[in-house]
Amino acid sequence: SEEINQNRTSAAVVPTIFLGVAAFLISLVLARIVQSQREQIGMLKAFGCRTPTLVGHYLLIAVIPVAAGAIAGCGLGLWAAHGIAGMYREFFHFPFARFTPQAGGLVVGVLAAVVAAAVGAATAVRRVAKLAPADAMRPEPPATYSRGTVERFGLDRLLGPVGRMTARSMLRRPVRTGLSVLGLGLGASVMIVGMFTFDAVDVLRALQFDVTDREDVTVAFDAPRGPGVLYELARLPGVTRAGSRSSGLLSRSAAS
């Protein structure tokens, strides 16, 4: 039961992290594509191309690769699930443990990936929808700058030119800064999740064999025995120390 509960937790947490990273990367890449194709978008709108058509085009750029990857991932997941079911059958000595794929779960997984791609593409697609033909066919005007938080608090005197430009860009575009921080955090989470299993096994091994079970040999009896049995075990060849762990359970430590 505990193993199944752990699988449920992993199935909820790990995909969320990966889909968050995917949405961030899609947002970043698609925004650069739209930025580099401003003139083409304006020209198409000027010649009568409808905005929903352009929006659908850029939305498909994000959705089609993700949907294809999700479908391929379903196939790999089914293959891995059969292997895990066989491992559980062998380890837990189940009489049978068959994996029965459910179409609903596969559909939900693909839809979750497509929704994550659509969310990541939302910012770039909104820019395409709002871009006017006359504005798109000329270079993007530079941003209007004024005294910001860095200057009002006098922090500009503590920073160099590069530091001031970086601070201004971060503070004047808080949404982009927040999304960048979130994407970096999710990227770090991917690394932590990937290495967590190995670290957890090392910690469990050290706790089990270096702290909890420090004896070399454990002797258990089917009924309580008197203290004389402990002395008899201590007299066996190779035993350096013997002690009682609990009532009816005696342990001995064998010399190497």
Side-chain angles (χ1 to χ4, degrees), residues 222-235:
D222 58 354
R225 296 287 188 263
V229 176
L230 180 63
Y231 300 139
E232 293 178 5
L233 292 175
R235 294 170 56 187

Side-chain angles (χ1 to χ4, degrees), residues 212 215 217-221 223-234 239 241-253:
T212 305
E215 69 277 359
V217 176
T218 300
V219 179
F221 300 95
R225 296 287 188 263
V229 176
L230 180 63
Y231 300 139
E232 293 178 5
L233 292 175
V239 176
R241 188 180 54 163
S244 176
R245 179 184 296 178
S246 61
S247 178
L249 180 64
L250 303 179
S251 63
R252 62 171 181 155
S253 177

Side-chain angles (χ1 to χ4, degrees), residues 20-43:
V21 174
F24 169 73
L25 294 176
I26 289 173
S27 176
L28 184 65
V29 172
L30 204 60
R32 293 184 179 274
I33 292 176
V34 172
Q35 180 68 24
S36 64
Q37 297 179 356
R38 277 174 50 88
E39 296 182 4
Q40 290 83 352
I41 294 172
M43 188 176 299

Side-chain angles (χ1 to χ4, degrees), residues 4-209:
I4 294 174
N5 292 332
Q6 291 177 5
N7 290 337
R8 287 197 184 101
T9 303
S10 300
V13 174
V14 177
T16 302
I17 295 174
F18 277 90
L19 291 177
V21 174
F24 169 73
L25 294 176
I26 289 173
S27 176
L28 184 65
V29 172
L30 204 60
R32 293 184 179 274
I33 292 176
V34 172
Q35 180 68 24
S36 64
Q37 297 179 356
R38 277 174 50 88
E39 296 182 4
Q40 290 83 352
I41 294 172
M43 188 176 299
L44 289 172
K45 285 189 174 184
F47 277 97
C49 185
R50 300 179 58 190
T51 299
T53 303
L54 291 172
V55 169
H57 168 72
Y58 285 99
L59 192 60
L60 288 177
I61 292 178
V63 170
I64 289 179
V66 172
I71 293 173
C74 288
L76 294 174
L78 292 175
W79 171 76
H82 283 288
I84 292 175
M87 185 187 305
Y88 283 176
R89 182 173 60 250
E90 180 180 357
F91 183 82
F92 292 107
H93 301 287
F94 292 147
F96 63 90
R98 297 178 181 177
F99 171 72
T100 303
Q102 298 180 356
L106 299 177
V107 172
V108 169
V110 174
L111 288 179
V114 171
V115 169
V119 171
T123 303
V125 168
R126 187 167 57 249
R127 290 184 60 185
V128 173
K130 292 183 177 180
L131 198 59
D135 294 333
M137 288 189 295
R138 58 172 177 253
E140 186 177 7
T144 301
Y145 290 108
S146 59
R147 287 179 59 85
T149 305
V150 178
E151 290 81 6
R152 284 197 297 268
F153 287 95
L155 300 177
D156 56 329
R157 288 172 289 184
L158 304 177
L159 302 173
V162 177
R164 285 197 295 269
M165 289 188 292
T166 302
R168 288 171 181 170
S169 178
M170 292 174 61
L171 295 176
R172 288 168 180 170
R173 296 182 178 179
V175 176
R176 188 178 70 175
T177 302
L179 292 176
S180 300
V181 172
L182 178 61
L184 292 172
L186 291 174
S189 301
V190 171
M191 297 296 297
I192 294 174
V193 169
M195 300 302 297
F196 166 77
T197 303
F198 301 100
D199 294 338
V201 170
D202 291 338
V203 172
L204 290 175
R205 179 190 55 78
L207 179 64
Q208 185 70 30
F209 296 106

